[in-house]
Amino acid sequence: MEREKLLDIRDLSVRYTTDGIISRAVNHVSFSLDKGRILGLVGETGAGKTTTALSLMGLLPKYTSEIEGELQFQGKDLAKISEKEFRNIRGRHISMIMQDPMTSLNPVFRVGDQIADVIKIHNKGMKKNEVNEEVDRILTMVGISPDRKNEYPHQFSGGMKQRVMIAIAIACKPDLLIADEPTTALDVTIQAQVIKMMKNLQKELGSAVILITHDLGLVANFCDDVAIMYAGEIVEYGTLEDVFDRTKRHHPYTDGLFGAIPNLTVKTDRLTPIAGMTPNPAELPEGCKFHPRCPRCMEKCESGEVPVSVRDGHRMQCHLALEEDVK
Ligand code: SF4
C-alpha cells in the first residue's frame, strides 16, 4: 500500500525557563509518521516524550517554554501557527488521551455531555439529535452502553473512565491520536482490553497513533515504528522489526531497556537495570547524553557531537552505530 506522510518533525527543540534556570527538555528531535501507522515513543520518565506530544497539541506553557524547529502537519508548521488556528486542529485533527483518566475528566459533567461538547465545538451546524446519535455511536465504539451517557465519571471504574477518555479523543475522528501512557493507571487485564480496543479503533478510523510509553511489551503488540528517546533526543528509530531484532546493532540505551525486562528464552536469576539516573534536563552532560551510564563509553563519547547513522531507515545516534551487527 502507498504510504503517505502525515507528520514530519524536523529538528524540534523545546526549552523551559523557570527562575532563570533553562531546562532542555527536547533536543533536535526529528521523525516522521505516515497515515495509519502507529509509532511507539519509548523512554524513561523525563526523556522528553510528553513535551514532544504537548508541542504537537500546542499545549506548551506559554510564558515559560520556547520552541524551535518544524512540526509539519497537513501542510502547516504547528510550531508557527497561532492559538486560534490551533483550536481548529486540536481535537478535530490531532487529539490526545492523557495519562490519568481519574483526573482528566470533569467530575461535575455527565460523560455523554463531555463527549457531546467536543463534537459540537468542531461541528457547529450539527443538530441536537444528530449530536446525541453521534455520542451513542462513539460510546458503542469504545464498548460502553449508550444507556450510561447520563452518568457521572465517579460512577465508572478506572478502565471504563479510560474508555470515556478515548471516546472524547476520537469523537471527531482525528487524523493523529496521541496516547500518553494510556494504560499506566489500569490493572493488567484492563490494560490488555483497552489496548485491543485502541487497535480496533485505529483500524476502523485509519488514524495515525503516537503511543507514549515505557512498556516495550505494549510496543511489541501495538506499534509499527519505534523511536527510543533519552534525555530529550531520539537515540534510535526504526520499524518494530529493526528495533526488536536482537541480532542487529542497537543503541546501548535500547539494549539497556531490553536487559531490564524478563526474557523467556534466556535463563537468568535477575534482571539488569540500567545503572544511574536520567540526567536533569537543566544539567545535561557534554558529548553523548548517555555516556555517564553507558557500559560501552569511550573517550570520544565524553565530548563533542555524536554522529547519527542511518542503515535502511534504521537510525542511531551512537559512535558504535557503524559496527557490525551482533550475530
Ligand atoms: Fe555509549 Fe558512546 Fe554510544 Fe553514547 S556514543 S551510547 S557513550 S558508546
Side-chain angles (χ1 to χ4, degrees), residues 251-253 288-291 294-298 301 306 317-320:
H251 192 281
Y253 177 62
C288 170
K289 309 283 182 291
F290 188 55
H291 88 254
C294 181
R296 304 200 57 192
C297 178
M298 301 165 277
C301 305
V306 182
Q317 188 170 8
C318 172
H319 286 294
L320 297 171

Short mmCIF file of all heavy atoms in Angstrom, two decimals, residues 251-253 288-291 294-298 301 306 317-320, ligand 1:
data_model
loop_
_atom_site.label_atom_id
_atom_site.label_comp_id
_atom_site.label_asym_id
_atom_site.label_seq_id
_atom_site.Cartn_x
_atom_site.Cartn_y
_atom_site.Cartn_z
N HIS A 251 21.44 0.89 19.92
CA HIS A 251 21.99 1.88 20.84
C HIS A 251 22.13 1.21 22.23
O HIS A 251 21.21 0.48 22.65
CB HIS A 251 21.03 3.08 20.91
CG HIS A 251 21.62 4.26 21.60
ND1 HIS A 251 21.70 4.35 22.97
CD2 HIS A 251 22.20 5.38 21.10
CE1 HIS A 251 22.28 5.50 23.28
NE2 HIS A 251 22.59 6.14 22.17
N PRO A 252 23.22 1.46 22.95
CA PRO A 252 23.37 0.82 24.27
C PRO A 252 22.21 1.13 25.22
O PRO A 252 21.89 0.32 26.09
CB PRO A 252 24.68 1.42 24.79
CG PRO A 252 25.47 1.69 23.55
CD PRO A 252 24.46 2.15 22.53
N TYR A 253 21.55 2.28 25.05
CA TYR A 253 20.39 2.57 25.91
C TYR A 253 19.23 1.62 25.58
O TYR A 253 18.58 1.10 26.48
CB TYR A 253 19.96 4.03 25.74
CG TYR A 253 18.73 4.37 26.55
CD1 TYR A 253 18.74 4.28 27.94
CD2 TYR A 253 17.54 4.77 25.93
CE1 TYR A 253 17.61 4.56 28.69
CE2 TYR A 253 16.41 5.07 26.67
CZ TYR A 253 16.44 4.96 28.05
OH TYR A 253 15.32 5.24 28.79
N CYS A 288 27.91 12.59 24.36
CA CYS A 288 26.72 11.73 24.36
C CYS A 288 26.04 11.85 25.71
O CYS A 288 26.66 11.65 26.76
CB CYS A 288 27.13 10.28 24.09
SG CYS A 288 25.78 9.12 24.37
N LYS A 289 24.73 12.14 25.67
CA LYS A 289 24.00 12.37 26.93
C LYS A 289 23.91 11.09 27.78
O LYS A 289 23.65 11.14 28.97
CB LYS A 289 22.55 12.84 26.63
CG LYS A 289 22.44 14.01 25.65
CD LYS A 289 22.78 15.32 26.29
CE LYS A 289 22.63 16.48 25.35
NZ LYS A 289 23.63 16.53 24.26
N PHE A 290 24.13 9.95 27.13
CA PHE A 290 24.01 8.67 27.84
C PHE A 290 25.36 8.22 28.42
O PHE A 290 25.43 7.25 29.15
CB PHE A 290 23.47 7.61 26.87
CG PHE A 290 23.12 6.29 27.51
CD1 PHE A 290 22.24 6.20 28.59
CD2 PHE A 290 23.67 5.10 27.04
CE1 PHE A 290 21.92 4.99 29.17
CE2 PHE A 290 23.36 3.87 27.61
CZ PHE A 290 22.48 3.82 28.68
N HIS A 291 26.45 8.99 28.13
CA HIS A 291 27.77 8.44 28.44
C HIS A 291 28.02 8.13 29.93
O HIS A 291 28.65 7.13 30.24
CB HIS A 291 28.91 9.29 27.82
CG HIS A 291 29.41 10.42 28.65
ND1 HIS A 291 29.11 11.73 28.39
CD2 HIS A 291 30.22 10.44 29.75
CE1 HIS A 291 29.69 12.50 29.29
NE2 HIS A 291 30.37 11.74 30.12
N CYS A 294 26.64 4.65 30.26
CA CYS A 294 26.84 3.67 29.18
C CYS A 294 27.97 2.69 29.49
O CYS A 294 29.10 3.09 29.74
CB CYS A 294 27.15 4.41 27.88
SG CYS A 294 27.40 3.27 26.50
N PRO A 295 27.67 1.38 29.45
CA PRO A 295 28.73 0.40 29.74
C PRO A 295 29.79 0.34 28.64
O PRO A 295 30.85 -0.25 28.84
CB PRO A 295 27.95 -0.93 29.83
CG PRO A 295 26.66 -0.70 29.14
CD PRO A 295 26.36 0.76 29.19
N ARG A 296 29.53 0.95 27.48
CA ARG A 296 30.49 0.89 26.37
C ARG A 296 31.11 2.26 26.07
O ARG A 296 31.66 2.48 24.99
CB ARG A 296 29.78 0.34 25.13
CG ARG A 296 29.13 -1.02 25.43
CD ARG A 296 28.86 -1.78 24.21
NE ARG A 296 30.05 -1.99 23.42
CZ ARG A 296 30.05 -2.44 22.18
NH1 ARG A 296 28.92 -2.71 21.61
NH2 ARG A 296 31.17 -2.61 21.52
N CYS A 297 31.03 3.15 27.04
CA CYS A 297 31.52 4.53 26.84
C CYS A 297 33.01 4.55 26.48
O CYS A 297 33.81 3.82 27.08
CB CYS A 297 31.26 5.32 28.12
SG CYS A 297 31.86 6.99 28.03
N MET A 298 33.36 5.37 25.49
CA MET A 298 34.76 5.56 25.09
C MET A 298 35.12 7.03 25.33
O MET A 298 34.23 7.85 25.56
CB MET A 298 34.93 5.24 23.60
CG MET A 298 34.53 3.83 23.24
SD MET A 298 34.31 3.61 21.46
CE MET A 298 32.65 4.20 21.23
N CYS A 301 33.26 9.68 23.47
CA CYS A 301 31.83 9.87 23.79
C CYS A 301 31.62 11.01 24.78
O CYS A 301 30.50 11.50 24.93
CB CYS A 301 31.25 8.60 24.41
SG CYS A 301 31.47 7.11 23.42
N VAL A 306 27.77 13.63 18.66
CA VAL A 306 27.72 12.19 18.36
C VAL A 306 27.08 12.03 16.99
O VAL A 306 25.99 12.57 16.75
CB VAL A 306 26.89 11.43 19.42
CG1 VAL A 306 26.90 9.94 19.13
CG2 VAL A 306 27.42 11.72 20.81
N GLN A 317 22.00 7.18 17.06
CA GLN A 317 22.94 8.23 17.41
C GLN A 317 23.92 7.68 18.43
O GLN A 317 23.68 7.73 19.64
CB GLN A 317 22.17 9.43 17.98
CG GLN A 317 23.05 10.64 18.19
CD GLN A 317 22.25 11.88 18.53
OE1 GLN A 317 21.04 11.81 18.76
NE2 GLN A 317 22.90 13.01 18.56
N CYS A 318 25.02 7.12 17.91
CA CYS A 318 26.00 6.47 18.79
C CYS A 318 27.27 6.24 17.98
O CYS A 318 27.21 5.91 16.80
CB CYS A 318 25.43 5.14 19.27
SG CYS A 318 26.60 4.14 20.18
N HIS A 319 28.43 6.38 18.64
CA HIS A 319 29.70 6.12 17.94
C HIS A 319 29.83 4.66 17.50
O HIS A 319 30.63 4.34 16.64
CB HIS A 319 30.88 6.48 18.85
CG HIS A 319 31.08 7.97 18.99
ND1 HIS A 319 31.46 8.76 17.94
CD2 HIS A 319 30.93 8.79 20.07
CE1 HIS A 319 31.55 10.02 18.36
NE2 HIS A 319 31.24 10.07 19.64
N LEU A 320 29.05 3.77 18.12
CA LEU A 320 29.15 2.34 17.78
C LEU A 320 28.25 1.95 16.61
O LEU A 320 28.28 0.80 16.16
CB LEU A 320 28.72 1.48 18.98
CG LEU A 320 29.56 1.58 20.25
CD1 LEU A 320 28.85 0.84 21.37
CD2 LEU A 320 30.94 0.97 20.02
FE1 SF4 B 1 27.68 4.74 24.69
FE2 SF4 B 1 29.39 6.25 23.38
FE3 SF4 B 1 27.32 5.21 22.10
FE4 SF4 B 1 26.98 7.16 23.85
S1 SF4 B 1 28.07 7.29 21.91
S2 SF4 B 1 25.77 5.32 23.70
S3 SF4 B 1 28.51 6.67 25.38
S4 SF4 B 1 29.02 4.09 23.04
#
